[in-house]
Amino acid sequence: MAASMASQAAARGLRTSKHILLDKLKCTWSSPRRWLNLQEYQSKKLMQESGVAVQRFYVAGTASEALEAAKRLNAKEIVLKAQILAGGRGKGVFDSGLKGGVHLTKDPAVVGELANKMLGFNLTTKQTPKDGVKVKTVMVAEALDISRETYFAILMDRSCNGPVMVGSPQGGMDIEEVAASTPELIFKEVIDIFEGVRDEQALRMAANLGFKGPLQRQAADQIKRLYDLFLKVDATQVEVNPLGETPEGQVVCFDAKINFDDNAEFRQKAVFAMDDMTESDPTETEAAKWDLKYIGLDGNIACFVNGAGLAMATCDIIDLHGGKPANFLDLGGGVKERQVYEAFKLLTADPKVEAILVNIFGGIVNCAIIANGITKACRELELKVPLVVRLEGTNVHEAKRILSESGLPITAADNLDDAAKKAVAAIKK
């Protein structure tokens, strides 16, 4: 059951820390606590600025701009891509009737016609909301043939206390599948943070990826440039899949995913200013303003918890007792009273919520701060739904005193199991 609730949250885009352990790779992949949303062209631009080889491209906001960009490219073949954050664009459908958010053509005039059916229309894929996402920009790029695909990534590895390179000659597919079926095709190089990527390391990785002759040196150069980008933008991961080889003898980064360290936002203002929140859930966006991690679920019991693991456990035990969680809300560690208040505002704004369960384990969190925030929120928001509170840890006795002396209809719980039972019972009354 725990796995099912966790997978539900993950499938709906949970933005808390995620650790995927690939046993065959013997390294931990980590992504930041909140994903920075960059469109494909924005990631390509960052790579281009660091000298990484990408396809020539332009961005257009109108059909006429797309047509002009196609002419300017003067390419044998052109690829037109709708720019949305959701995956599955190639098999998506526009409400204009056009099928597919990715199209290849050799005629620049067709680019203008296709863009006219993309821009301003909603594109629906397996990963978008039911009504799709409005396309505001398209990327017009040079289409290049790929004679061979490889996989390459630079990521933070806790077991090595720093960055590592991971590569495979089997690119263009899910790297986890490669690691599981052919672990001997996964290659890893630990990067010394003081020396950076050494020439012999880059050349060895290029050789392991299957690049030969002049292409080996070219691939090694791209690897070093990707590491420069990794450092420059304070990335936690730069994943290129595929890092491809063209029939003309070029090494090109065809598709890339960049994860950023949110703690570096103060010195990466230009990068974070590109954050595209237009496709995000409004409640999630509002929660992020207060450093809260929120994801909506389909139930009617709101969960108010500190820590992603505890939040998932809370969702699971509610489910165990016959209830359904309405959300996944993680307060994190350095919480303040105002955050508690804002969290209650978000929870009570959901019309599906019929009860609220607060489950706090106070390590670095002061339970008294939580208690003061709860009482303030209950009074000012005139809470109308049952509230069950379980507190444990730092300053818990003071917190319980604050709640008991508040005169508010708050149901105290001794432990998580007791809290879940009482929340589910409150709904059934």
Side-chain angles (χ1 to χ4, degrees):
M1 184 170 299
S4 67
M5 287 306 306
S7 61
Q8 274 188 49
R12 296 175 70 90
L14 180 63
R15 290 181 183 170
T16 54
S17 296
K18 183 173 81 173
H19 307 291
I20 306 172
L21 184 63
L22 301 178
D23 293 332
K24 305 295 183 184
L25 273 68
K26 295 184 172 60
C27 63
T28 300
W29 291 32
S30 62
S31 57
R33 56 190 170 85
R34 178 181 61 81
W35 289 338
L36 175 64
N37 296 316
L38 294 189
Q39 298 284 3
E40 179 185 7
Y41 76 88
Q42 293 172 314
S43 294
K44 275 186 161 60
K45 183 181 177 185
L46 288 176
M47 295 171 75
Q48 203 174 48
E49 289 171 352
S50 290
V52 176
V54 298
Q55 299 150 282
R56 293 185 297 125
F57 71 93
Y58 295 102
V59 178
T62 66
S64 59
E65 287 178 1
L67 174 60
E68 185 59 35
K71 291 178 180 176
R72 218 179 319 156
L73 278 173
N74 192 29
K76 291 180 180 178
E77 193 169 25
I78 301 159
V79 59
L80 179 67
K81 292 185 174 184
Q83 294 298 284
I84 64 170
L85 297 171
R89 289 174 297 176
K91 295 181 180 179
V93 179
F94 287 89
D95 56 7
S96 65
L98 179 66
K99 292 183 179 180
V102 179
H103 287 266
L104 285 166
T105 180
K106 295 180 179 179
D107 186 354
V110 174
V111 171
E113 294 169 10
L114 289 170
N116 200 42
K117 296 177 182 178
M118 289 183 177
L119 291 163
F121 293 98
N122 282 16
L123 174 59
T124 303
T125 76
K126 288 184 178 179
Q127 293 185 19
T128 63
K130 181 181 176 182
D131 296 329
V133 173
K134 182 175 285 189
V135 175
K136 298 177 181 177
T137 54
V138 293
M139 186 176 76
V140 186
E142 177 183 26
L144 296 175
D145 291 328
I146 306 177
S147 56
R148 199 173 64 84
E149 295 181 328
T150 73
Y151 174 92
F152 178 76
I154 302 171
L155 52 107
M156 297 301 293
D157 180 5
R158 286 181 177 173
S159 67
C160 298
N161 293 318
V164 298
M165 295 187 286
V166 176
S168 173
Q170 295 293 315
M173 60 181 72
D174 193 334
I175 191 62
E176 285 91 341
E177 290 181 16
V178 177
S181 59
T182 51
E184 68 277 8
L185 294 180
I186 298 292
F187 299 93
K188 177 180 171 182
E189 290 275 350
V190 178
I191 301 171
D192 185 305
I193 59 172
F194 297 106
E195 293 184 14
V197 178
R198 299 189 304 275
D199 287 344
E200 62 268 26
Q201 278 187 303
L203 286 167
R204 185 164 56 242
M205 178 59 77
N208 286 333
L209 295 182
F211 292 103
K212 303 182 187 303
L215 286 177
Q216 183 183 355
R217 173 62 66 179
Q218 194 181 144
D221 178 64
Q222 289 299 301
I223 286 169
K224 297 193 75 170
R225 288 174 187 269
L226 284 165
Y227 183 65
D228 289 342
L229 169 66
F230 181 85
L231 293 180
K232 180 182 175 183
V233 300
D234 284 302
T236 56
Q237 177 178 305
V238 173
E239 182 184 42
V240 181
N241 191 17
L243 175 63
E245 181 180 320
T246 71
E248 294 78 23
Q250 293 176 285
V251 177
V252 179
C253 297
F254 283 93
D255 201 0
K257 175 177 150 187
I258 306 174
N259 288 346
F260 302 87
D261 183 354
D262 284 358
N263 295 309
E265 183 175 356
F266 72 97
R267 65 183 181 197
Q268 295 291 346
K269 295 190 183 300
V271 172
F272 279 79
M274 294 190 287
D275 195 1
D276 188 341
M277 302 296 285
T278 58
E279 296 174 37
S280 300
D281 180 274
T283 306
E284 288 183 41
T285 303
E286 182 62 26
K289 291 179 183 177
W290 300 99
D291 202 20
L292 302 169
K293 294 83 178 174
Y294 176 96
I295 191 74
L297 298 172
D298 298 326
N300 53 7
I301 299 177
C303 302
F304 179 86
V305 187
N306 67 312
L310 190 59
M312 283 191 276
T314 304
C315 288
D316 289 339
I317 203 160
I318 287 172
D319 196 70
L320 177 67
H321 288 296
K324 294 293 179 185
N327 67 273
F328 181 113
L329 191 148
D330 174 14
L331 276 172
V335 64
K336 296 180 172 57
E337 281 185 34
R338 181 61 188 270
Q339 286 172 289
V340 177
Y341 177 81
E342 295 297 333
F344 264 81
K345 278 179 69 176
L346 291 171
L347 297 178
T348 55
D350 184 348
K352 300 194 308 295
V353 170
E354 297 178 29
I356 298 174
L357 192 163
V358 176
N359 182 27
I360 300 295
F361 187 83
I364 56 177
V365 171
N366 187 326
C367 289
I369 291 176
I370 301 292
N372 283 323
I374 289 172
T375 56
K376 175 182 171 66
C378 288
R379 290 192 177 101
E380 295 189 13
L381 298 175
E382 299 179 354
L383 190 66
K384 299 291 194 301
V385 298
L387 172 61
V388 179
V389 177
R390 179 256 182 166
L391 299 173
E392 195 59 66
T394 304
N395 218 1
V396 67
H397 297 299
E398 174 64 12
K400 289 181 176 179
R401 183 193 66 76
I402 292 169
L403 295 179
S404 64
E405 293 179 2
S406 68
L408 295 166
I410 298 172
T411 302
D414 297 325
N415 52 53
L416 177 52
D417 189 65
D418 182 43
K421 286 179 180 176
K422 287 177 177 177
V424 172
I427 293 243
K428 294 179 178 178
K429 282 183 180 178

